[in-house]
Amino acid sequence: MHDVWREVSRHLEIGESVEALFPRVAAHLPVRWVLVRRVTADRSRLETVGAGGDPAIEGLPLRTEVPAHQRAAFASWLEESQVTTWRGLGDRDGIRGLVAPLGGLLLAGALRHGDRVLGILAVGGEPALDDDRAVIEALLEPFATALINDGRLHELARLRERAEADNRALLSRLQRQDVSEAIVGAEAGLRTVMEQVDQVARTDAPVLILGETGSGKEVVARAIHQRSRRAEGPFLRINCGAIAPELVDSELFGHERGSFTGAVAARKGWFERSDGGTLFLDEVGDLPPAAQVRLLRVLQDGSFMRVGGQHVLTCDVRVVAATHRDLPGLVRSGTFREDLWYRISVFPIKLPPLRERQQDIPALARHFSERAGLRLSGLPIAPTRADLDALVAYPWPGNVREL
Ligand SMILES: Nc1ncnc2c1ncn2[C@@H]1O[C@H](COP(=O)(O)OP(=O)(O)OP(=O)(O)O)[C@@H](O)[C@H]1O
Ligand SMILES: [Mg+2]
């Protein structure tokens, strides 16, 4: 029993618990197989959630619907506190056929959490197992605990999914406030850029933002989202250079549970998560070759499949890409696919470096020093005339970020 409890505490997934428990039980009892099935709250269905031992149990149906005329009998059997024994093929009230339609000696009982029936434990074995009924009865509690752990694990996964979704919604609301915080130079050095932003925001066309590091590519991407019909939808930024090549597919398109080692739960990819909104592919020039192919496909027809998935999914996503690299050069050198370049460069927006819009430097400097002053001392700070002259004369290789 000690061993059994230890195994139960070692595993969270019921399938793993049962697999690990079977040999412990079989070492002491003439048991051939063990089966754990969840029972729905209305007692209308049984679902196999764990099995171990004789391969014959693998052939059993995973789901069993309890026919209407058997519901009452099945429900009252579940209320019995003792383990029931069936010998040979005897099955007076059809319960055995519902629990586990296999021949030989069968013992089964309900798994409970307090008064609530969660499932059943069924054990098949040699005729001698009949003498061990008390042991099987004692096993109900650890198996019920394993089932409870599993339920909690899945509840946690559900809660985490929901918390993540809430978090994303809150973040995108915060980002929206940031954006409304004003784009300095919109009427001056960025005038042409902002006109292009307004023009393209009305469409769903992909946009490619080009500009040196720190020049405001992300600011522009958010402005496009903000001014589009998708403003209330999600805005997600993904740094294409930061994804491991072997995970690119799963990151972009999601995966089904168990589709690869480590895929313990199904996960939505970036495309699904930004449905109805904008997906900002930052540093698109760093996208690994395999991902370029997949991205091309989704840009062509808006459809994709999750890794390990059975269904073609569609999504309504506007793609905005950005890069500080020389994409045409990458195309020439064969690092970036030409067909993908054509797809994403339909509407290019070129952000001028800060040294080519010196007229914005004083306004930016005032904007940042005011913010920094408030944050650090509670009082806004203003640059002097001499400060501004020095700032305007500097070439700003790191652009607005450096400033
Ligand atoms: N016109 C602007 N008005 C106010 N702040 C700006 C402006 N342009 C850029 N910034 C600020 O400068 C910083 C850099 O901008 P952003 O992150 O958009 O640059 P980037 O081109 O994406 O840079 P990188 O290539 O390094 O990713 C950010 O903090 C951003 O808020
Ligand atoms: Mg950026």
Side-chain angles (χ1 to χ4, degrees):
M1 264 339 235
H2 178 72
D3 269 4
V4 165
W5 276 108
R6 202 174 49 205
E7 283 304 335
V8 167
S9 65
R10 275 239 252 307
H11 306 278
L12 286 170
E13 292 262 2
I14 182 75
E16 287 172 19
S17 306
V18 177
E19 252 174 62
L21 283 170
F22 175 76
R24 308 265 160 201
V25 177
H28 300 286
L29 303 174
V31 159
R32 286 195 290 125
W33 52 262
V34 171
L35 192 61
V36 174
R37 311 190 78 190
R38 208 182 269 288
V39 176
T40 54
D42 64 358
R43 279 105 204 258
S44 69
R45 196 191 312 140
L46 292 109
E47 283 165 4
T48 300
V49 289
D54 194 322
I57 51 164
E58 304 278 341
L60 292 180
L62 287 178
R63 281 168 156 230
T64 308
E65 301 291 339
V66 181
H69 70 274
Q70 275 176 289
R71 295 246 169 107
F74 182 58
S76 72
W77 176 75
L78 286 173
E79 294 310 321
E80 278 174 30
S81 57
Q82 293 197 330
V83 161
T84 307
T85 306
W86 289 272
R87 293 174 194 83
L89 278 167
D91 189 13
R92 278 187 323 283
D93 41 15
I95 304 289
R96 174 193 187 125
L98 295 173
V99 168
L102 283 174
L105 182 75
L106 169 71
L107 287 85
L111 298 173
R112 291 167 219 279
H113 185 202
D115 298 337
R116 226 152 38 89
V117 172
L118 303 176
I120 55 135
L121 170 70
V123 177
E126 310 304 332
L129 183 63
D130 211 1
D131 303 334
D132 299 311
R133 236 176 77 151
V135 185
I136 302 295
E137 221 149 82
L139 284 175
L140 291 178
E141 200 187 338
F143 274 89
T145 304
L147 200 52
I148 293 165
N149 286 347
D150 181 82
R152 287 190 179 137
L153 176 73
H154 288 103
E155 178 64 16
L156 276 177
R158 254 197 313 281
L159 287 174
R160 205 191 52 190
E161 256 303 300
R162 208 191 307 158
E164 272 185 9
D166 288 349
N167 203 2
R168 281 193 300 274
L170 283 172
L171 279 176
S172 75
R173 218 179 296 163
L174 277 176
Q175 287 160 352
R176 245 173 261 156
Q177 282 170 4
D178 264 351
V179 166
S180 60
E181 219 176 65
I183 297 176
V184 179
E187 300 296 325
L190 288 180
R191 187 181 197 118
T192 317
V193 167
M194 294 316 290
E195 279 167 10
Q196 287 178 297
V197 165
D198 281 332
Q199 197 185 340
V200 80
R202 288 195 292 268
T203 75
D204 275 337
V207 182
L208 179 62
I209 305 170
L210 303 161
E212 290 181 11
T213 177
S215 57
K217 296 185 292 297
E218 189 164 344
V219 168
V220 168
R222 289 183 196 279
I224 292 171
H225 173 71
Q226 202 49 44
R227 289 155 201 235
S228 74
R229 66 170 177 95
R230 303 167 175 275
E232 293 299 311
F235 174 93
L236 270 84
R237 171 184 174 267
I238 172 165
N239 182 349
C240 299
I243 323 172
E246 66 276 13
L247 290 180
V248 155
D249 262 12
S250 134
E251 289 285 331
L252 285 173
F253 306 110
H255 60 246
E256 296 298 342
R257 185 177 157 185
S259 51
F260 56 87
T261 318
V264 287
R267 182 184 180 282
K268 283 187 180 177
W270 295 96
F271 270 93
E272 260 178 278
R273 289 175 191 218
S274 48
D275 196 18
T278 305
L279 180 59
F280 176 41
L281 297 173
D282 208 358
E283 304 307 347
V284 74
D286 297 340
L287 207 61
Q292 292 181 24
V293 182
R294 303 271 278 142
L295 179 60
L296 180 66
R297 216 170 300 152
V298 72
L299 287 177
Q300 275 164 348
D301 59 10
S303 69
F304 60 93
M305 275 169 113
R306 284 185 178 176
V307 175
Q310 306 289 317
H311 308 287
V312 174
L313 304 170
T314 55
C315 59
D316 168 31
V317 174
R318 133 81 70 75
V319 172
V320 175
T323 183
H324 68 277
R325 301 177 64 176
D326 168 29
L327 266 193
L330 295 180
V331 170
R332 277 193 300 277
S333 68
T335 320
F336 200 82
R337 291 182 68 102
E338 192 172 18
D339 42 11
L340 181 56
W341 157 247
Y342 286 137
R343 283 271 164 190
I344 62 170
S345 63
V346 189
F347 196 101
I349 296 181
K350 172 97 183 65
L351 263 172
L354 192 53
R355 65 181 172 279
E356 288 175 18
R357 43 182 163 118
Q358 287 176 331
Q359 73 269 38
D360 292 348
I361 294 175
L364 281 165
R366 282 194 205 98
H367 176 72
F368 293 136
S369 55
E370 180 181 325
R371 266 209 331 210
L374 286 172
R375 195 183 309 148
L376 299 176
S377 67
L379 295 169
I381 302 171
T384 64
R385 187 73 249 163
D387 292 334
L388 292 177
D389 287 345
L391 292 172
V392 170
Y394 180 72
W396 299 111
N399 294 290
V400 185
R401 173 171 291 117
E402 186 183 4
L403 177 55

